[in-house]
Amino acid sequence: MGASVDRIARPWGTRTPYGRHESWPARVDTYLEEGVEPDAVQRWVQAASVLHSDGDAMDIAVRDGRMVGVRGRAQDRVNRGRLGPKDLFGWQANASSDRLTSPLIRRDGRLVECDWDTAMGRVAARSRDLLDERGPGSVGFYTSGQLFLEEYYTLAVLARAGIGTAHLDGNTRLCTSTAAEALKESFGCDGQPGCFDDFDHADVIALFGHNLAETQPVQWMRVLDRLAGGDPPRLLCVDPRPTPVARHATVHLAPRLGTNVALLNALLHEIVRMDRVDHDFVAAHTVGFGELVSRVERCTPEWAAGICDVPTARIREAAELIGSADRLLSTVLQGVYQSHQATAAAVQVNNLHLVRGMLGRPGAGVLQMNGQPTAQNTRECGADGDLPGFRNWQNESHVADLARVWNVEPRTIPHYAPPTPAMQMFRYAEQGSIRMLWISGTNPAVSLPELSRIRSVLAQDRLFVVVQDLFLTETAHLADVVLPAAAWGEKTGTLTNADRTVHLSEKAVEPPGGARPDLDIFLDYAARMDFRDKDGGPLITWHDPESAFEAWKRCSAGRPCDYTGLTYDRLRGTSGIQWPCDDEAPDGTSRLYTDGIDWAHPDVCESYGKDLVTGAESEAVEYRSLNPDGKAVIKAAEYLPPHEMPDEEHPFQLTTGRTVYHFHTRTKTARAPQLNAAAPDVWVEASAADAAALGAAEGDLVEVETPRGRLRGRLRVTGIREGLLFVPFHYGYWDTEAGHAPDGDTPGRAANETTVTDWDPVSKQPLFKTAAAALRLVERGDGKAAPAPTTAASAPSRPDSVPPTTGGPSAAVTHAADPAWDDRAEDAR
Ligand SMILES: Nc1nc2c(c(=O)[nH]1)N[C@H]1C(S)=C(S)[C@@H](COP(=O)(O)OP(=O)(O)OC[C@H]3O[C@@H](n4cnc5c(=O)[nH]c(N)nc54)[C@H](O)[C@@H]3O)O[C@H]1N2
Ligand SMILES: Nc1nc2c(c(=O)[nH]1)N[C@H]1C(S)=C(S)[C@@H](COP(=O)(O)OP(=O)(O)OC[C@H]3O[C@@H](n4cnc5c(=O)[nH]c(N)nc54)[C@H](O)[C@@H]3O)O[C@H]1N2
Ligand SMILES: [Mo]
């Protein structure tokens, strides 16, 4: 069976229905450049997707040393051959003519080309000067969730033990620091309890602030296929926008922004009231249930309805769904993580599972979802605010163990205070204590909150900024040294998706010009800095991706994220493999906590927990007395209103997020013609009632203003909650006419002109999803629709008013059921 489908018009393609507890049929999606026939492909090179956290396995088609297409890998359990629109078309950006091909340094105010020796020499010289004059605390590293494991591990070693700085964090701080924190609070340690295969078995799937359809389109295909098959699951969607998830939900709750904790406490109240509690599980595996019961006692559905502005009856229905589930799967993402009570809310979702005993069985699991493709690796390797291998910085024996692995003295590794979160690093740079900031694989001049402030921090003369990227981004424009990096497909490495599945992604083609893999750049720096271990040997003993992976395995040994059973060879040809993978679990581990809670013991846990209101760290003694046996911790939380509420001047709530066709700041997806055409410019979503009150209509130019700044975009009238505005955060300035951010008070187009410098006290994740804003009509449109897609959450409330989004013939993708793939083969694996 084969079909050809316009995958811009139909992002999820054709259905392959299957029933509950059956295995998901394969469907191989292939997209080849126009004019290239399948038999003209000379090599297919194994890789995995880097445009979301799904880890969709794929092969890159190569002809004459060029990438000419991609196809999904049927044998992989994550995607069974399917690919989403960004993966089908996004690879084309690699060959874009404006890739960086040479290092740049700033001379007389201008960035000019130079050779690698000059650029790296300057970076090393500045590092040495700063170490001599101001010490290790003057150097900071801000990295990504999009490099490979081997790269993060190398960076973590050179920053924490080479330079000896506590200032190393990832943009994962903006992304999934709450996922990690919520797992630490409930289970003592990071590590996803559930598994994507749980989608096959669940009878109820609850999505909290997660637009799965647009942000992990392949797992949404899985849900759609189950909805079309026998014994379909019932969905609960908690999202203030009419996402595709909401449209398919049995119960959709569209709460006011920032009220997740109130809603979740009401759901917990109902579960307790109806005694839908698994008392045996609670007694055997948890502490803290009694406190939860008293905390939620007064959190009735009526109470929450007033706060969340959703009907009481809907809250009851949602509680009934969760209470009646025999296999409950929950997912959590940015609608929860990017708000003021992020960790407190995410932990309440864990509590629903603990109270209902919904863990460790097929279909019963929680996915504190990741966003970026390699965010899990940033966390594991300690390139974010944690120590490598989920070691606890407050536990001296963990620090000593890490020092043993690195052959350094424990005091070499900064652990006098928690590693510095990204927002605090920018604050230190603003105040002048950080004097060098090395930014790799992230574009903070578009993605951090309150951009006018971020631009002024990065533009300071006294701050030496290094930017390592594929393109001359808005951030690179502000750098002192720009290092051209090789992209996915041009380098080899491993990545771990949101359900702990490790994939190998191999080099298919050469990088353009002088661009080099991030690993080589970090190794070059370490060599120039001559970092040494305590015996005078080299601190970093590896030289390529595979030897870096082997070094990481030694660091992971005996820790929860144990990789010792994996090798590059084992990852070739087969499906990805889930950690922990070691002697005890040589084929990997589908689900954690199948026989109780493993890693919350005081001697093992990654964290002793924090106060959910203040973020204050608990001490070892407190944790030991609360949880001596290392059970799961049920942590209750009180609802607190958002810090910024609408008022007369700023009557709207404002939230920001994604569309299915673009990735973040669009450095890749805007350079893929099909994707860019589907959503070429920024827009602003408002409800029909709010548009009418303003006298505005589809396509009119409107301005969104907050106390931080302003932006302008065309209006899209959708079924969004009344009183709520939505702006996609994908649009910066590199592809505008001016090519840079507007000066002074001129309105921009980046969503983050308007967002606030504020964060969840526990995870330190910034609040991209709660602000108060004003909306005003600037100018009537010319009857043309807003440049927003019609296919998903941004669909117009009056479909006939807007031409549908399509990609035309160039967006046709082949769907084929692969006869070579036999499901029984996987069962036997
Ligand atoms: N197409 C695409 N896919 C991506 C990415 C991308 O850029 N584009 N990025 C990847 C990354 S790094 C990430 S982190 C993920 C993010 O994936 P998601 O979290 O699914 O995406 P968002 O659009 O940021 O936010 C999800 C939803 O949160 C809702 N929301 C906003 N405020 C609230 C609230 O107060 N409560 C609740 N319950 N919901 C709220 C929004 O309406 C939105 O639909 O996507 C990954 N996948
Ligand atoms: N308003 C608002 N802001 C947000 C969010 C939101 O929902 N709303 N979401 C937040 C979230 S969840 C995230 S994850 C961030 C994302 O924010 P960013 O990380 O800033 O976004 P990207 O555009 O993915 O930037 C990645 C950069 O790395 C480069 N790159 C890609 N691959 C490589 C590589 O292999 N090596 C190197 N050296 N460079 C590479 C790309 O060209 C790009 O410039 O944005 C956050 N900001
Ligand atoms: Mo993210």
Short mmCIF file of all heavy atoms in Angstrom, two decimals, residues 144 146-147 151 171-172 174-176 334 338 371-372 440-444 446-448 468-471 473 483 485-488 491 518 656-658 663-668 727 729 751-752 755 765 768-769, ligand 2:
data_model
loop_
_atom_site.label_atom_id
_atom_site.label_comp_id
_atom_site.label_asym_id
_atom_site.label_seq_id
_atom_site.Cartn_x
_atom_site.Cartn_y
_atom_site.Cartn_z
N SER A 144 22.79 24.16 25.05
CA SER A 144 21.61 23.86 24.27
C SER A 144 20.91 22.60 24.73
O SER A 144 21.38 21.90 25.63
CB SER A 144 22.09 23.69 22.82
OG SER A 144 21.02 23.49 21.95
N GLN A 146 20.15 20.80 21.92
CA GLN A 146 20.16 20.34 20.52
C GLN A 146 21.51 19.84 20.04
O GLN A 146 21.69 19.58 18.85
CB GLN A 146 19.70 21.50 19.62
CG GLN A 146 18.30 21.98 19.97
CD GLN A 146 17.91 23.25 19.24
OE1 GLN A 146 18.20 23.41 18.07
NE2 GLN A 146 17.25 24.16 19.94
N LEU A 147 22.50 19.75 20.94
CA LEU A 147 23.77 19.13 20.54
C LEU A 147 23.67 17.63 20.84
O LEU A 147 22.59 17.14 21.16
CB LEU A 147 24.94 19.76 21.29
CG LEU A 147 25.02 21.29 21.27
CD1 LEU A 147 26.30 21.76 21.96
CD2 LEU A 147 24.95 21.85 19.87
N GLU A 151 28.97 15.85 23.14
CA GLU A 151 29.35 17.26 23.17
C GLU A 151 29.06 17.86 24.54
O GLU A 151 29.90 18.57 25.11
CB GLU A 151 28.63 17.99 22.03
CG GLU A 151 29.12 17.43 20.69
CD GLU A 151 28.30 17.79 19.46
OE1 GLU A 151 27.09 18.10 19.56
OE2 GLU A 151 28.89 17.75 18.36
N ASN A 171 19.85 25.94 27.50
CA ASN A 171 18.53 26.53 27.23
C ASN A 171 17.45 25.55 27.69
O ASN A 171 16.27 25.87 27.65
CB ASN A 171 18.38 26.88 25.75
CG ASN A 171 18.36 25.64 24.88
OD1 ASN A 171 18.58 24.53 25.37
ND2 ASN A 171 18.13 25.81 23.60
N THR A 172 17.88 24.36 28.10
CA THR A 172 16.96 23.41 28.74
C THR A 172 16.33 24.05 29.97
O THR A 172 15.30 23.60 30.44
CB THR A 172 17.72 22.15 29.13
OG1 THR A 172 18.97 22.55 29.73
CG2 THR A 172 18.04 21.32 27.91
N LEU A 174 14.94 26.86 29.90
CA LEU A 174 13.71 27.46 29.39
C LEU A 174 12.71 26.38 29.00
O LEU A 174 11.57 26.68 28.65
CB LEU A 174 13.98 28.31 28.13
CG LEU A 174 15.29 29.09 28.07
CD1 LEU A 174 15.36 29.84 26.76
CD2 LEU A 174 15.38 30.05 29.23
N CYS A 175 13.16 25.16 28.98
CA CYS A 175 12.47 24.09 28.25
C CYS A 175 11.96 23.02 29.20
O CYS A 175 10.76 22.86 29.38
CB CYS A 175 13.46 23.55 27.23
SG CYS A 175 12.85 22.30 26.12
N THR A 176 12.87 22.30 29.85
CA THR A 176 12.44 21.16 30.64
C THR A 176 13.10 21.10 32.01
O THR A 176 13.18 20.03 32.61
CB THR A 176 12.72 19.85 29.90
OG1 THR A 176 14.07 19.86 29.47
CG2 THR A 176 11.83 19.70 28.72
N GLN A 334 4.72 22.61 28.17
CA GLN A 334 4.99 24.02 28.49
C GLN A 334 3.82 24.81 29.07
O GLN A 334 4.04 25.82 29.74
CB GLN A 334 5.56 24.76 27.28
CG GLN A 334 6.86 24.20 26.73
CD GLN A 334 7.96 24.01 27.75
OE1 GLN A 334 7.83 24.42 28.91
NE2 GLN A 334 9.04 23.38 27.36
N GLN A 338 6.03 26.54 31.89
CA GLN A 338 6.44 27.94 31.70
C GLN A 338 5.52 28.89 32.45
O GLN A 338 5.22 29.97 31.98
CB GLN A 338 6.50 28.29 30.20
CG GLN A 338 7.62 27.53 29.50
CD GLN A 338 7.65 27.71 28.00
OE1 GLN A 338 6.64 28.07 27.40
NE2 GLN A 338 8.80 27.46 27.39
N GLY A 371 11.16 18.80 25.49
CA GLY A 371 10.84 19.57 24.29
C GLY A 371 11.91 19.39 23.24
O GLY A 371 11.66 18.92 22.13
N GLN A 372 13.14 19.74 23.61
CA GLN A 372 14.22 19.65 22.64
C GLN A 372 14.70 18.21 22.49
O GLN A 372 14.58 17.40 23.40
CB GLN A 372 15.38 20.55 23.06
CG GLN A 372 15.04 22.02 22.89
CD GLN A 372 16.12 22.90 23.44
OE1 GLN A 372 17.01 23.32 22.73
NE2 GLN A 372 16.05 23.16 24.73
N SER A 440 26.44 28.19 22.94
CA SER A 440 26.46 27.17 21.87
C SER A 440 25.08 26.61 21.63
O SER A 440 24.40 26.17 22.56
CB SER A 440 27.44 26.05 22.22
OG SER A 440 27.22 25.56 23.53
N GLY A 441 24.65 26.62 20.36
CA GLY A 441 23.41 25.95 19.97
C GLY A 441 22.15 26.54 20.56
O GLY A 441 21.18 25.82 20.80
N THR A 442 22.14 27.84 20.75
CA THR A 442 20.91 28.49 21.22
C THR A 442 20.96 29.96 20.82
O THR A 442 22.05 30.51 20.59
CB THR A 442 20.74 28.31 22.75
OG1 THR A 442 19.52 28.92 23.16
CG2 THR A 442 21.90 28.90 23.54
N ASN A 443 19.80 30.57 20.73
CA ASN A 443 19.68 31.91 20.17
C ASN A 443 18.96 32.84 21.15
O ASN A 443 17.82 33.26 20.93
CB ASN A 443 18.92 31.80 18.83
CG ASN A 443 18.89 33.10 18.05
OD1 ASN A 443 19.59 34.06 18.39
ND2 ASN A 443 18.08 33.12 17.01
N PRO A 444 19.62 33.15 22.28
CA PRO A 444 18.93 33.87 23.36
C PRO A 444 18.42 35.25 22.97
O PRO A 444 17.49 35.75 23.60
CB PRO A 444 20.00 33.97 24.46
CG PRO A 444 21.31 33.77 23.77
CD PRO A 444 21.02 32.83 22.64
N VAL A 446 16.56 35.89 20.77
CA VAL A 446 15.16 35.74 20.38
C VAL A 446 14.38 34.92 21.41
O VAL A 446 13.19 35.14 21.61
CB VAL A 446 15.03 35.08 18.98
CG1 VAL A 446 13.56 34.97 18.56
CG2 VAL A 446 15.81 35.88 17.94
N SER A 447 15.06 34.01 22.09
CA SER A 447 14.32 33.03 22.90
C SER A 447 14.24 33.36 24.38
O SER A 447 13.46 32.73 25.09
CB SER A 447 14.91 31.64 22.72
OG SER A 447 16.27 31.61 23.08
N LEU A 448 15.03 34.29 24.88
CA LEU A 448 14.92 34.63 26.31
C LEU A 448 13.86 35.72 26.51
O LEU A 448 13.54 36.46 25.59
CB LEU A 448 16.28 35.10 26.85
CG LEU A 448 17.27 34.00 27.24
CD1 LEU A 448 18.59 34.61 27.68
CD2 LEU A 448 16.73 33.11 28.34
N GLN A 468 28.50 29.95 18.98
CA GLN A 468 28.80 28.77 18.16
C GLN A 468 27.49 28.33 17.54
O GLN A 468 26.60 27.85 18.25
CB GLN A 468 29.37 27.73 19.12
CG GLN A 468 29.87 26.45 18.57
CD GLN A 468 30.67 25.73 19.67
OE1 GLN A 468 31.49 26.34 20.36
NE2 GLN A 468 30.43 24.46 19.84
N ASP A 469 27.35 28.49 16.23
CA ASP A 469 26.05 28.26 15.60
C ASP A 469 26.25 27.86 14.14
O ASP A 469 27.36 27.89 13.62
CB ASP A 469 25.17 29.53 15.70
CG ASP A 469 23.67 29.21 15.63
OD1 ASP A 469 23.20 28.81 14.55
OD2 ASP A 469 22.98 29.37 16.66
N LEU A 470 25.12 27.53 13.49
CA LEU A 470 25.15 27.19 12.07
C LEU A 470 25.00 28.45 11.22
O LEU A 470 25.42 28.47 10.06
CB LEU A 470 23.98 26.27 11.72
CG LEU A 470 23.65 25.13 12.69
CD1 LEU A 470 22.45 24.35 12.17
CD2 LEU A 470 24.85 24.23 12.86
N PHE A 471 24.36 29.46 11.79
CA PHE A 471 23.98 30.65 11.03
C PHE A 471 24.35 31.93 11.80
O PHE A 471 24.57 31.88 13.01
CB PHE A 471 22.46 30.66 10.78
CG PHE A 471 21.98 29.48 9.98
CD1 PHE A 471 21.39 28.39 10.60
CD2 PHE A 471 22.15 29.47 8.59
CE1 PHE A 471 20.96 27.30 9.85
CE2 PHE A 471 21.71 28.38 7.84
CZ PHE A 471 21.12 27.29 8.47
N THR A 473 22.99 34.31 13.52
CA THR A 473 21.71 34.58 14.18
C THR A 473 21.70 35.98 14.80
O THR A 473 22.74 36.66 14.85
CB THR A 473 21.49 33.58 15.33
OG1 THR A 473 22.58 33.75 16.25
CG2 THR A 473 21.48 32.15 14.85
N LEU A 483 31.79 31.03 15.97
CA LEU A 483 32.39 29.76 15.56
C LEU A 483 31.38 28.98 14.72
O LEU A 483 30.28 28.68 15.20
CB LEU A 483 32.80 28.95 16.79
CG LEU A 483 33.74 29.69 17.76
CD1 LEU A 483 33.95 28.87 19.04
CD2 LEU A 483 35.08 29.98 17.08
N ALA A 485 29.52 25.95 13.25
CA ALA A 485 29.38 24.55 13.68
C ALA A 485 28.83 23.69 12.56
O ALA A 485 28.06 24.15 11.71
CB ALA A 485 28.47 24.49 14.89
N ALA A 486 29.22 22.42 12.59
CA ALA A 486 28.61 21.41 11.72
C ALA A 486 27.24 21.07 12.28
O ALA A 486 27.04 21.08 13.50
CB ALA A 486 29.49 20.16 11.69
N ALA A 487 26.29 20.77 11.40
CA ALA A 487 24.92 20.49 11.83
C ALA A 487 24.69 18.99 11.93
O ALA A 487 25.51 18.18 11.48
CB ALA A 487 23.94 21.09 10.82
N TRP A 488 23.56 18.64 12.51
CA TRP A 488 23.01 17.27 12.43
C TRP A 488 23.17 16.79 10.98
O TRP A 488 22.93 17.56 10.05
CB TRP A 488 21.53 17.36 12.81
CG TRP A 488 20.69 16.18 12.51
CD1 TRP A 488 20.43 15.15 13.36
CD2 TRP A 488 19.96 15.92 11.31
NE1 TRP A 488 19.59 14.26 12.74
CE2 TRP A 488 19.29 14.70 11.50
CE3 TRP A 488 19.80 16.60 10.10
CZ2 TRP A 488 18.47 14.14 10.52
CZ3 TRP A 488 18.99 16.04 9.12
CH2 TRP A 488 18.33 14.82 9.34
N LYS A 491 27.69 15.38 11.37
CA LYS A 491 28.51 14.91 12.49
C LYS A 491 27.80 13.71 13.13
O LYS A 491 26.59 13.52 12.93
CB LYS A 491 28.69 16.04 13.52
CG LYS A 491 27.38 16.55 14.11
CD LYS A 491 27.60 17.64 15.14
CE LYS A 491 26.29 18.10 15.74
NZ LYS A 491 26.44 19.11 16.78
N ASP A 518 30.66 20.47 16.96
CA ASP A 518 30.80 21.10 18.29
C ASP A 518 31.80 20.33 19.15
O ASP A 518 32.56 20.93 19.90
CB ASP A 518 29.43 21.15 18.98
CG ASP A 518 28.46 22.05 18.22
OD1 ASP A 518 28.52 23.27 18.41
OD2 ASP A 518 27.67 21.52 17.42
N THR A 656 2.33 32.53 24.80
CA THR A 656 3.15 32.37 23.60
C THR A 656 3.46 30.90 23.42
O THR A 656 3.38 30.13 24.37
CB THR A 656 4.48 33.13 23.76
OG1 THR A 656 5.19 32.59 24.88
CG2 THR A 656 4.27 34.62 23.96
N GLY A 657 3.81 30.50 22.20
CA GLY A 657 4.11 29.08 21.98
C GLY A 657 4.40 28.81 20.53
O GLY A 657 5.00 29.65 19.84
N ARG A 658 3.94 27.64 20.04
CA ARG A 658 4.46 27.08 18.79
C ARG A 658 3.39 26.80 17.75
O ARG A 658 2.22 26.67 18.07
CB ARG A 658 5.13 25.76 19.12
CG ARG A 658 6.31 25.96 20.01
CD ARG A 658 6.79 24.69 20.65
NE ARG A 658 8.11 24.93 21.19
CZ ARG A 658 8.32 25.60 22.33
NH1 ARG A 658 7.32 26.03 23.05
NH2 ARG A 658 9.55 25.84 22.74
N PHE A 663 10.23 25.56 13.98
CA PHE A 663 11.01 25.19 15.15
C PHE A 663 11.64 26.46 15.71
O PHE A 663 12.45 27.11 15.05
CB PHE A 663 12.09 24.18 14.76
CG PHE A 663 12.85 23.61 15.93
CD1 PHE A 663 12.20 22.84 16.88
CD2 PHE A 663 14.21 23.83 16.07
CE1 PHE A 663 12.90 22.30 17.96
CE2 PHE A 663 14.91 23.29 17.14
CZ PHE A 663 14.26 22.52 18.09
N HIS A 664 11.22 26.81 16.91
CA HIS A 664 11.86 27.88 17.67
C HIS A 664 12.12 29.13 16.84
O HIS A 664 11.20 29.67 16.26
CB HIS A 664 13.17 27.36 18.28
CG HIS A 664 12.92 26.24 19.23
ND1 HIS A 664 13.89 25.45 19.72
CD2 HIS A 664 11.77 25.79 19.78
CE1 HIS A 664 13.38 24.55 20.53
NE2 HIS A 664 12.11 24.73 20.57
N THR A 665 13.39 29.55 16.79
CA THR A 665 13.68 30.83 16.15
C THR A 665 13.88 30.68 14.64
O THR A 665 14.45 31.54 14.00
CB THR A 665 14.88 31.54 16.82
OG1 THR A 665 16.10 30.88 16.50
CG2 THR A 665 14.73 31.53 18.34
N ARG A 666 13.41 29.55 14.11
CA ARG A 666 13.27 29.33 12.66
C ARG A 666 14.60 29.31 11.90
O ARG A 666 14.60 29.47 10.69
CB ARG A 666 12.35 30.40 12.03
CG ARG A 666 10.90 30.24 12.42
CD ARG A 666 10.10 31.50 12.16
NE ARG A 666 10.06 31.90 10.78
CZ ARG A 666 10.68 32.98 10.30
NH1 ARG A 666 11.39 33.76 11.08
NH2 ARG A 666 10.59 33.27 9.04
N THR A 667 15.71 29.11 12.59
CA THR A 667 16.96 29.11 11.82
C THR A 667 16.96 27.98 10.81
O THR A 667 17.55 28.10 9.74
CB THR A 667 18.20 28.99 12.74
OG1 THR A 667 18.18 27.73 13.40
CG2 THR A 667 18.27 30.11 13.75
N LYS A 668 16.29 26.88 11.14
CA LYS A 668 16.21 25.78 10.18
C LYS A 668 14.91 25.83 9.36
O LYS A 668 14.95 25.74 8.14
CB LYS A 668 16.31 24.44 10.91
CG LYS A 668 17.68 24.19 11.52
CD LYS A 668 17.72 22.89 12.30
CE LYS A 668 19.11 22.65 12.89
NZ LYS A 668 19.10 21.50 13.81
N VAL A 727 0.65 34.56 20.84
CA VAL A 727 1.61 34.96 19.81
C VAL A 727 2.66 33.85 19.68
O VAL A 727 3.23 33.43 20.68
CB VAL A 727 2.32 36.29 20.19
CG1 VAL A 727 3.33 36.68 19.11
CG2 VAL A 727 1.31 37.41 20.42
N PHE A 729 6.29 32.33 19.14
CA PHE A 729 7.56 32.99 19.47
C PHE A 729 8.65 32.72 18.44
O PHE A 729 9.82 32.98 18.67
CB PHE A 729 8.03 32.57 20.88
CG PHE A 729 8.80 31.27 20.94
CD1 PHE A 729 10.17 31.27 21.10
CD2 PHE A 729 8.16 30.06 20.84
CE1 PHE A 729 10.90 30.08 21.16
CE2 PHE A 729 8.86 28.87 20.90
CZ PHE A 729 10.24 28.87 21.06
N ALA A 751 7.93 37.64 20.02
CA ALA A 751 7.04 37.54 21.19
C ALA A 751 7.76 37.96 22.46
O ALA A 751 7.17 38.55 23.36
CB ALA A 751 6.55 36.10 21.32
N ASN A 752 9.07 37.65 22.52
CA ASN A 752 9.79 37.92 23.77
C ASN A 752 10.12 39.39 23.98
O ASN A 752 10.70 39.74 25.02
CB ASN A 752 11.03 37.03 23.86
CG ASN A 752 10.63 35.62 24.27
OD1 ASN A 752 9.73 35.44 25.08
ND2 ASN A 752 11.29 34.63 23.68
N THR A 755 7.61 39.52 27.00
CA THR A 755 7.57 38.60 28.15
C THR A 755 8.40 39.14 29.31
O THR A 755 9.22 40.03 29.15
CB THR A 755 8.06 37.20 27.74
OG1 THR A 755 9.28 37.36 27.01
CG2 THR A 755 7.05 36.50 26.85
N GLN A 765 12.62 28.04 35.77
CA GLN A 765 12.21 28.14 34.36
C GLN A 765 11.43 29.44 34.16
O GLN A 765 10.51 29.75 34.92
CB GLN A 765 11.36 26.92 33.98
CG GLN A 765 10.98 26.90 32.52
CD GLN A 765 10.57 25.52 32.03
OE1 GLN A 765 10.77 24.51 32.71
NE2 GLN A 765 10.00 25.45 30.85
N PHE A 768 7.08 32.10 30.22
CA PHE A 768 6.73 32.57 28.88
C PHE A 768 5.23 32.55 28.66
O PHE A 768 4.76 32.93 27.60
CB PHE A 768 7.39 31.68 27.82
CG PHE A 768 8.88 31.78 27.80
CD1 PHE A 768 9.67 30.69 28.16
CD2 PHE A 768 9.51 32.95 27.40
CE1 PHE A 768 11.05 30.77 28.10
CE2 PHE A 768 10.89 33.03 27.35
CZ PHE A 768 11.67 31.95 27.71
N LYS A 769 4.49 32.03 29.62
CA LYS A 769 3.08 31.80 29.36
C LYS A 769 2.14 32.52 30.31
O LYS A 769 0.96 32.17 30.37
CB LYS A 769 2.82 30.29 29.33
CG LYS A 769 3.39 29.67 28.02
CD LYS A 769 3.08 28.24 27.87
CE LYS A 769 3.33 27.68 26.47
NZ LYS A 769 4.64 27.96 25.88
N1 LIG B 2 8.05 33.45 24.29
C1 LIG B 2 8.53 32.21 24.35
N2 LIG B 2 9.85 32.02 24.39
C2 LIG B 2 10.34 30.76 24.48
C3 LIG B 2 9.48 29.64 24.51
C4 LIG B 2 8.08 29.87 24.43
O1 LIG B 2 7.26 28.95 24.44
N3 LIG B 2 7.65 31.18 24.36
N4 LIG B 2 10.00 28.39 24.59
C5 LIG B 2 11.33 28.23 25.17
C6 LIG B 2 11.85 26.89 24.87
S1 LIG B 2 10.93 25.57 25.46
C7 LIG B 2 12.98 26.67 24.19
S2 LIG B 2 13.56 25.08 24.00
C8 LIG B 2 13.79 27.79 23.68
C9 LIG B 2 14.46 27.54 22.35
O2 LIG B 2 15.24 28.65 22.07
P1 LIG B 2 16.59 28.60 21.24
O3 LIG B 2 17.44 27.49 21.69
O4 LIG B 2 17.19 29.93 21.32
O5 LIG B 2 15.99 28.34 19.80
P2 LIG B 2 16.60 27.72 18.49
O6 LIG B 2 16.08 28.48 17.36
O7 LIG B 2 16.34 26.26 18.49
O8 LIG B 2 18.14 27.99 18.65
C10 LIG B 2 19.09 26.97 18.49
C11 LIG B 2 20.27 27.56 17.77
O9 LIG B 2 21.26 26.55 17.63
C12 LIG B 2 21.66 26.45 16.27
N5 LIG B 2 22.01 25.03 16.07
C13 LIG B 2 21.24 24.01 15.63
N6 LIG B 2 21.93 22.87 15.62
C14 LIG B 2 23.18 23.17 16.06
C15 LIG B 2 24.37 22.39 16.26
O10 LIG B 2 24.43 21.19 16.03
N7 LIG B 2 25.45 23.07 16.75
C16 LIG B 2 25.43 24.40 17.02
N8 LIG B 2 26.52 24.96 17.53
N9 LIG B 2 24.33 25.15 16.79
C17 LIG B 2 23.23 24.53 16.34
C18 LIG B 2 20.49 26.94 15.46
O11 LIG B 2 20.93 27.48 14.21
C19 LIG B 2 19.91 28.04 16.38
O12 LIG B 2 20.47 29.29 16.16
O13 LIG B 2 12.95 28.94 23.54
C20 LIG B 2 12.31 29.30 24.74
N10 LIG B 2 11.68 30.60 24.54
#
